[in-house]
């Protein structure tokens, strides 16, 4: 799978589909530093079992017509939020309609996991 195609598709849309053992789930994300990042749990996205996986499949669709653009495996890694403030900031900037926008990083640090999905070759 072309890394350039994955990056382009991930940057064009703020949503993706995560294929989990429990089923396929829609999730918002950001593309940052050659990977997809998302926030799970703690009042954010409900993606059961994601943090326990080593690898999952990701589906990116066209923003225009919903057609599947690319499907690829991605390595799953929980991010140390304190060690990655730039990732947390990028996610907070893209989090729409948060009731506590100013407090997102603190809430995530206490109640959520930030996950890196790095496309596998």
């Amino acid at each position: 799978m072309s890394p350039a195609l994955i990056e382009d598709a991930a940057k064009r849309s703020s949503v993706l589909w995560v294929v989990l053992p429990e089923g396929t789930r829609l999730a918002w994300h950001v593309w940052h530093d050659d990977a997809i990042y998302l926030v799970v749990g703690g009042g954010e996205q409900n993606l059961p079992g994601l943090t326990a996986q080593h690898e999952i499949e990701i589906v990116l669709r066209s923003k225009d017509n919903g057609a599947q653009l690319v499907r690829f495996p991605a390595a799953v890694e929980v991010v140390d939020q304190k060690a990655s403030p730039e990732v947390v900031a990028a996610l907070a900037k893209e989090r729409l309609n948060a009731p506590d926008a100013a407090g997102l990083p603190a809430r995530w640090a206490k109640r959520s996991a930030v996950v890196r999905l790095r496309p596998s070759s």
Side-chain angles (χ1 to χ4, degrees):
M1 187 58 50
S2 164
L5 175 61
I6 292 170
E7 178 178 357
D8 185 56
K11 285 180 173 179
R12 288 182 185 265
S13 179
S14 60
V15 296
L16 52 73
W17 282 257
V18 180
V19 182
L20 296 167
E22 296 82 7
T24 302
R25 301 283 183 113
L26 180 68
W28 68 271
H29 74 279
V30 297
W31 178 266
H32 179 78
D33 197 23
D34 296 326
I36 292 167
Y37 291 87
L38 42 85
V39 181
V40 298
E44 292 295 336
Q45 304 176 102
N46 183 19
L47 301 171
L50 175 63
T51 59
Q53 302 298 314
H54 296 287
E55 187 173 88
I56 58 161
E57 277 196 280
I58 300 295
V59 177
L60 294 168
R61 297 186 176 277
S62 168
K63 194 173 183 177
D64 298 327
N65 62 19
Q68 181 174 304
L69 294 174
V70 62
R71 184 181 189 119
F72 59 93
V76 178
E77 178 186 354
V78 176
V79 174
D80 178 344
Q81 294 180 51
K82 284 185 180 182
S84 302
E86 71 287 350
V87 169
V88 174
L91 284 160
K93 179 181 173 191
E94 296 301 320
R95 173 61 167 91
L96 301 177
N97 303 318
D100 61 340
L104 281 176
R107 178 167 56 89
W108 290 344
K110 289 179 185 174
R111 299 178 36 208
S112 302
V114 172
V115 178
R116 175 186 298 118
L117 304 174
R118 190 171 304 279
S120 306
S121 37

